[in-house]
Amino acid sequence: MTRRALVIGGTGMLAGCVAALVREGWHVVVPSRRYAPIPDEAGNGDRKSLWVQADWSAPKELAARADKALDGKADLLVAWVRSTARPSVLRAVAPLLAPGAPVVEVHGSASANPIDGCPDPVLPDHPTQQVVLGYVRQAGRTRWLTHTETVAGVMDAVRRALAGRSPAVHHVGEFRPPLLR
């Protein structure tokens, strides 16, 4: 049985997540406004990932194009969507998900903070793991997470989601220091 994943925001820092899911045998659909070829890592022509031209500004069109490429209900949704587009995009793709399919939402530290927490999950019928990306202190300085650190944190949440773990918020790195007023 083919497992299907929809990864929104998967052509940038989440490209490593797409590659990891493909290595694990998933059929992965990656909507993006810019062409982002996804390599056939096995080299046997059995492509398990598919880029679909779509844009967050047109959520219904994004969902329609992803639906065709999925060729069945998605068993997993991983989404890193700008906070202003997040509700409309996630609601548009909700019908593409299998009943109870887990969701992993990724947030930058600007969209979640230690005082207000994370935004509420958009799809209440789907168990949602949330990942908040922060920064790392190193040698007396701070830096943003590397692609490798980001992918490791998101894939940890994906594994928790697929194992049926209770919805939770996962912090990768530290929050940006709060502004003093």
Side-chain angles (χ1 to χ4, degrees), residues 6-10 31-33 54-64 66 77-97 103 105 122-123:
L6 177 59
V7 180
I8 301 173
S32 175
R33 68 177 179 238
D55 194 312
W56 299 341
S57 65
K60 290 180 183 176
E61 185 178 309
L62 181 150
L77 169 63
V78 179
W80 190 354
V81 181
R82 181 177 44 243
S83 60
T84 56
R86 185 176 149 266
S88 60
V89 170
L90 295 183
R91 286 185 188 114
V93 300
L96 308 182
L97 303 178
V103 173
E105 284 193 48
V122 174
L123 305 177

Side-chain angles (χ1 to χ4, degrees), residues 91-172:
R91 286 185 188 114
V93 300
L96 308 182
L97 303 178
V103 173
V104 175
E105 284 193 48
V106 182
H107 304 280
S109 60
S111 63
N113 65 60
I115 297 168
D116 296 329
C118 275
D120 289 333
V122 174
L123 305 177
D125 294 335
H126 296 275
T128 301
Q129 302 291 328
Q130 296 190 74
V131 179
V132 180
L133 303 174
Y135 69 95
V136 175
R137 293 179 195 271
Q138 189 174 39
R141 296 181 173 249
T142 59
R143 63 166 176 79
W144 293 113
L145 298 167
T146 65
H147 286 286
T148 302
E149 291 164 336
T150 297
V151 168
V154 173
M155 286 306 295
D156 180 55
V158 165
R159 294 197 196 323
R160 289 170 159 275
L162 294 173
R165 303 279 294 272
S166 296
V169 175
H170 311 273
H171 300 276
V172 182

Side-chain angles (χ1 to χ4, degrees), residues 1-37:
M1 180 172 143
T2 301
R3 296 183 301 170
R4 293 173 178 84
L6 177 59
V7 180
I8 301 173
T11 59
M13 289 192 67
L14 295 184
C17 295
V18 171
L21 290 167
V22 167
R23 279 192 302 274
E24 293 174 12
W26 287 79
H27 169 70
V28 184
V29 172
V30 185
S32 175
R33 68 177 179 238
R34 290 189 201 103
Y35 179 61

